[in-house]
Amino acid sequence: MTSPLKLAQTADEYQIAEFFRESVGQWRSERRYYTLPEGKTKEIQSLITIRFLESGCDELQNLGHIHNLAGSVSLICGAQVTWETTDVLRSEKESQGSTLFGVLGNTLYRNRGFATVKPITAQYYFSNPKTLSLRTEYNGSVFEEELKLVGSKYRTRQTIISRAGEELMIGQYLEKRMDGLL
């Protein structure tokens, strides 16, 4: 007999695999960051490419290795996200890079975090099949993020960064699909 907890994890793993598959493609991300409490804003535009990763692929095997997962443990799926970011007001290239995400149970393994290049983990859940919520903690900070698929052409995101119970930054994003997928 399978325990109820295992059934819940299996359902979450299925949902995140579907979420990643529906996110595959090229996106234009328009972001606004609000620094609290003074309310300074920064506007960023990114070109994002998302690729689905199947269990057993080289990228997920390497991700499992850097997280010291036992060789017999396989991440069930994942995504590779690459980006190129421009500061809209200064018209200057801000950053570019890539992040790997891998899933096992209710844990999302990453090769790097928002504010660190070190491997991190996040806990995730779904409030509904189209809305993924993440909670990540490292270096004394908490990152709470919500990603929502809006039809097949849009995604919204919101990130709240806090430290010692005080909110430091809010990021809001509108992402528009650029490719002809879906």
Side-chain angles (χ1 to χ4, degrees), residues 123-138:
Q123 298 305 301
Y124 75 90
Y125 68 92
F126 285 88
S127 55
N128 67 63
K130 301 292 184 184
T131 305
L132 171 63
S133 297
L134 305 171
R135 181 179 173 90
T136 310
E137 296 183 39
Y138 58 89

Side-chain angles (χ1 to χ4, degrees), residues 20-80:
F20 284 163
R21 282 186 182 100
E22 289 182 45
S23 296
V24 166
Q26 295 181 324
W27 299 83
R28 178 182 309 280
S29 179
E30 298 169 3
R31 310 169 182 209
R32 180 171 283 164
Y33 292 102
Y34 300 92
T35 303
L36 304 175
E38 58 274 350
K40 289 183 187 176
T41 62
K42 184 173 187 175
E43 292 187 37
I44 301 290
Q45 186 176 82
S46 297
L47 300 177
I48 299 171
T49 302
I50 301 173
R51 186 170 65 94
F52 184 78
L53 301 175
E54 297 282 348
S55 181
C57 72
D58 289 344
E59 293 93 334
L60 290 182
Q61 288 180 7
N62 290 336
L63 185 58
H65 178 73
I66 66 172
H67 279 280
N68 297 315
L69 296 176
S72 62
V73 175
S74 293
L75 297 168
I76 61 110
C77 73
Q80 178 186 43

Side-chain angles (χ1 to χ4, degrees), residues 140-181:
S141 295
V142 176
F143 302 80
E144 296 175 288
E145 188 166 13
E146 179 183 271
L147 296 91
K148 184 173 190 163
L149 293 167
V150 182
S152 62
K153 296 180 183 176
Y154 300 97
R155 293 183 354 153
T156 61
R157 291 171 50 195
Q158 179 165 285
T159 304
I160 300 172
I161 303 170
S162 58
R163 182 180 286 251
E166 183 177 341
E167 292 78 15
L168 302 176
M169 183 178 286
I170 297 172
Q172 295 182 316
Y173 317 69
L174 173 62
E175 297 176 344
K176 301 173 189 173
R177 187 177 293 279
M178 295 175 53
D179 52 25
L181 296 177

Side-chain angles (χ1 to χ4, degrees), residues 105-121:
N106 291 95
T107 302
L108 188 64
Y109 294 84
R110 297 175 61 177
N111 67 328
R112 60 171 295 147
F114 178 78
T116 182
V117 295
K118 294 180 181 177
I120 60 154
T121 60

